[in-house]
């Protein structure tokens, strides 16, 4: 019988009712993850602190975090203008050193909030964010391990639970899953050569396992079941000490330790970089179907997946510049 994953709800008791309504809608109706909704909450709470500071409190910018928003009424929300939002974005850029990507996230949170109150519950006549463009953000190519570095990492998983840790890293490098997805896998999510994954927004997808992953999972499960049966603890990856589902933090520590053993420590690699690595290796090995790669990675939009095509473009450019004839100059007669 399938095991249902626990849903974690965050306490938003220090926010006004209109904010709680919006956040609960994102959790219960849209099915967004608690972590995503928590990000909305943090962004919107700061925005309304700023609005209250600007309209009522008249306190110094340094004291904004001490402002309470529990008493803000929806009437104040109705007074928010496009200028207020632009000034807020300017505030977080100058006073909080927010990067373009951080400001974009805040603007996305505000867009979602005002869209909800204009189109879903019709309590606002217009969305003050509607015509504000996202802050310009220079796209960076994701950092990833080379094939040789990936093999070196897999060769350095001699830990206190080597079968588990080798299996986790093997799945990261082959399936491109997020760390939260890996931690959430149950034993009965694996059937033959398929694995069921619950991704962002509780969206379910199926990942096909290659022979290397099947061997790693099979070898690990034999050792795992000696510790505790799946009937008592359904999680695939467990802590040897607690015999319960392994935590995200523990996985991060294990990967960091293996990276250091492989001589790859201190180079900016992480569990999320292993996801980038999987996508890059899949693309470079011939998996050029963007829709297929999108499904494997669990991306909502194919445009997110297309960044991995740029990696090869950059490498082609680098290769072209590295030609031995690149510096050739014809001698003048």
């Amino acid at each position: 019988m399938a095991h249902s994953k626990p849903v974690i709800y965050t306490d938003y008791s220090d926010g006004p009712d209109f904010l709680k309504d919006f956040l609960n809608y994102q959790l219960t109706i849209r099915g967004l993850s608690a972590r995503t909704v928590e990000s909305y909450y943090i962004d919107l709470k700061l925005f309304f602190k700023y609005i209250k500071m600007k309209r009522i409190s008249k306190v110094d910018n340094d004291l904004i975090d001490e402002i309470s928003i529990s008493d803000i009424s929806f009437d104040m929300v109705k007074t928010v203008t496009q200028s207020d939002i632009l000034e807020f974005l300017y505030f977080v850029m100058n006073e909080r050193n927010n990067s373009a990507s951080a400001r974009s996230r805040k603007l996305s949170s505000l867009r979602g909030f005002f869209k909800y109150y204009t189109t879903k519950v019709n309590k606002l006549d217009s969305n003050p964010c509607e015509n504000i463009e996202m802050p310009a953000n220079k796209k960076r190519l994701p950092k990833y391990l080379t094939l040789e570095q990936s093999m070196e990492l897999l060769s350095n998983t001699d830990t206190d639970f080597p079968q588990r840790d080798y299996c986790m890293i093997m799945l990261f490098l082959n399936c491109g899953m997020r760390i939260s997805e890996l931690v959430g896998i149950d034993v009965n999510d694996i059937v033959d050569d398929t694995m069921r994954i619950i991704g962002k927004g509780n969206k379910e997808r199926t990942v096909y396992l290659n022979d290397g992953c099947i061997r790693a999972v099979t070898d690990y499960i034999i050792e795992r079941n000696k510790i505790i049966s799946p009937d008592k603890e359904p999680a695939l990856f467990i802590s040897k000490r607690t015999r319960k589902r392994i935590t995200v933090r523990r996985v991060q520590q294990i990967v960091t330790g293996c990276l250091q053993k492989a001589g790859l420590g201190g180079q900016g690699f992480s569990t999320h970089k292993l996801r980038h690595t999987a996508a890059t290796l899949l693309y470079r090995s011939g998996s050029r179907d963007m829709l297929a790669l999108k499904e494997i990675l669990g991306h909502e939009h194919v445009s997110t997946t297309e960044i991995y095509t740029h990696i090869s473009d950059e490498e082609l450019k680098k290769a072209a510049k590295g030609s031995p004839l690149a510096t050739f100059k014809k001698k003048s007669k």
Side-chain angles (χ1 to χ4, degrees):
M1 186 172 69
H3 171 72
S4 59
K5 307 289 191 300
V7 178
I8 301 171
Y9 292 92
T10 305
D11 178 20
Y12 304 118
S13 58
D14 62 339
D17 288 342
F18 65 79
L19 183 53
K20 294 178 196 172
D21 290 344
F22 166 72
L23 297 170
N24 288 329
Y25 175 83
Q26 306 306 311
L27 278 169
T28 59
I29 305 301
R30 291 194 63 203
L32 299 185
S33 70
R35 182 176 294 181
T36 299
V37 178
E38 177 73 15
S39 295
Y40 283 173
Y41 176 57
I42 291 169
D43 293 339
L44 292 167
K45 185 164 67 169
L46 179 61
F47 174 72
F48 286 113
K49 283 175 181 283
Y50 174 80
I51 291 298
K52 187 175 179 181
M53 178 184 74
K54 183 180 175 184
R55 304 275 169 82
I56 301 172
S57 301
K58 304 295 183 185
V59 299
D60 293 336
N61 291 343
D62 294 340
L63 300 176
I64 188 171
D65 291 321
E66 298 178 18
I67 296 174
S68 170
I69 63 168
S70 59
D71 59 342
I72 291 182
S73 70
F74 197 74
D75 286 337
M76 184 177 286
V77 176
K78 292 178 180 178
T79 69
V80 173
T81 65
Q82 185 182 88
S83 294
D84 290 325
I85 293 169
L86 290 172
E87 287 171 10
F88 170 69
L89 295 175
Y90 183 81
F91 165 78
V92 295
M93 179 179 71
N94 285 283
E95 298 293 332
R96 301 218 157 194
N97 296 317
N98 277 194
S99 64
S101 59
R103 298 197 305 278
S104 292
R105 193 196 73 182
K106 286 179 171 61
L107 181 55
S108 292
S109 298
L110 288 165
R111 278 181 173 177
F113 173 83
F114 284 106
K115 182 178 180 181
Y116 171 76
Y117 276 107
T118 52
T119 63
K120 292 295 178 185
V121 294
N122 301 312
K123 287 190 175 181
L124 291 175
D125 295 329
S126 61
N127 184 341
C129 300
E130 198 167 26
N131 297 315
I132 300 178
E133 296 180 7
M134 283 291 181
N137 187 22
K138 293 180 180 178
K139 287 190 175 181
R140 296 179 182 176
L141 295 177
K143 190 176 179 66
Y144 62 95
L145 278 70
T146 64
L147 177 59
E148 293 73 19
Q149 289 173 326
S150 299
M151 292 190 288
E152 190 65 28
L153 176 59
L154 286 167
S155 300
N156 283 274
T157 53
D158 297 327
T159 62
D160 62 342
F161 201 165
Q163 298 88 353
R164 178 197 63 191
D165 300 341
Y166 175 82
C167 184
M168 290 194 303
I169 291 175
M170 192 71 167
L171 292 179
F172 274 134
L173 290 173
N174 282 275
C175 304
M177 61 187 65
R178 302 173 178 92
I179 189 170
S180 58
E181 294 171 347
L182 179 128
V183 167
I185 298 169
D186 287 344
V187 173
N188 59 14
D189 286 334
I190 301 172
V191 179
D192 297 327
D193 64 344
T194 65
M195 178 181 288
R196 183 177 76 109
I197 291 177
I198 306 299
K200 281 187 174 181
N202 291 322
K203 291 179 182 176
E204 182 178 323
R205 71 182 188 275
T206 298
V207 169
Y208 289 87
L209 304 176
N210 59 33
D211 290 343
C213 289
I214 292 172
R215 284 194 299 272
V217 170
T218 302
D219 292 345
Y220 163 61
I221 286 180
I222 292 171
E223 299 303 317
R224 178 225 177 276
N225 290 351
K226 292 177 183 177
I227 298 172
I228 191 168
S229 72
D231 292 336
K232 293 182 179 179
E233 173 50 69
L236 174 62
F237 293 109
I238 60 171
S239 162
K240 202 172 186 178
R241 180 177 60 83
T242 66
R243 302 196 303 169
K244 296 185 180 297
R245 189 182 300 274
I246 198 168
T247 64
V248 166
R249 180 62 186 140
R250 182 63 187 132
V251 175
Q252 291 170 331
Q253 290 171 341
I254 291 165
V255 170
T256 298
C258 292
L259 284 165
Q260 289 174 342
K261 288 180 182 179
L264 299 168
Q267 298 181 38
F269 295 124
S270 63
T271 52
H272 199 64
K273 300 302 185 291
L274 301 190
R275 173 170 161 83
H276 291 323
T277 299
T280 305
L281 294 179
L282 282 169
Y283 181 78
R284 292 177 63 188
S285 67
S287 303
R288 301 299 174 92
D289 185 335
M290 283 294 104
L291 290 176
L293 200 54
K294 166 185 170 292
E295 292 302 315
I296 291 170
L297 297 172
H299 285 157
E300 187 171 356
H301 303 291
V302 74
S303 58
T304 308
T305 314
E306 285 174 344
I307 190 170
Y308 296 106
T309 67
H310 303 323
I311 293 171
S312 287
D313 292 342
E314 284 293 312
E315 289 175 343
L316 287 172
K317 184 177 180 180
K318 183 178 178 181
K321 288 187 174 181
S323 167
L325 295 176
T327 57
F328 176 80
K329 290 182 179 180
K330 185 179 178 180
K331 293 181 180 179
S332 56
K333 294 182 179 179

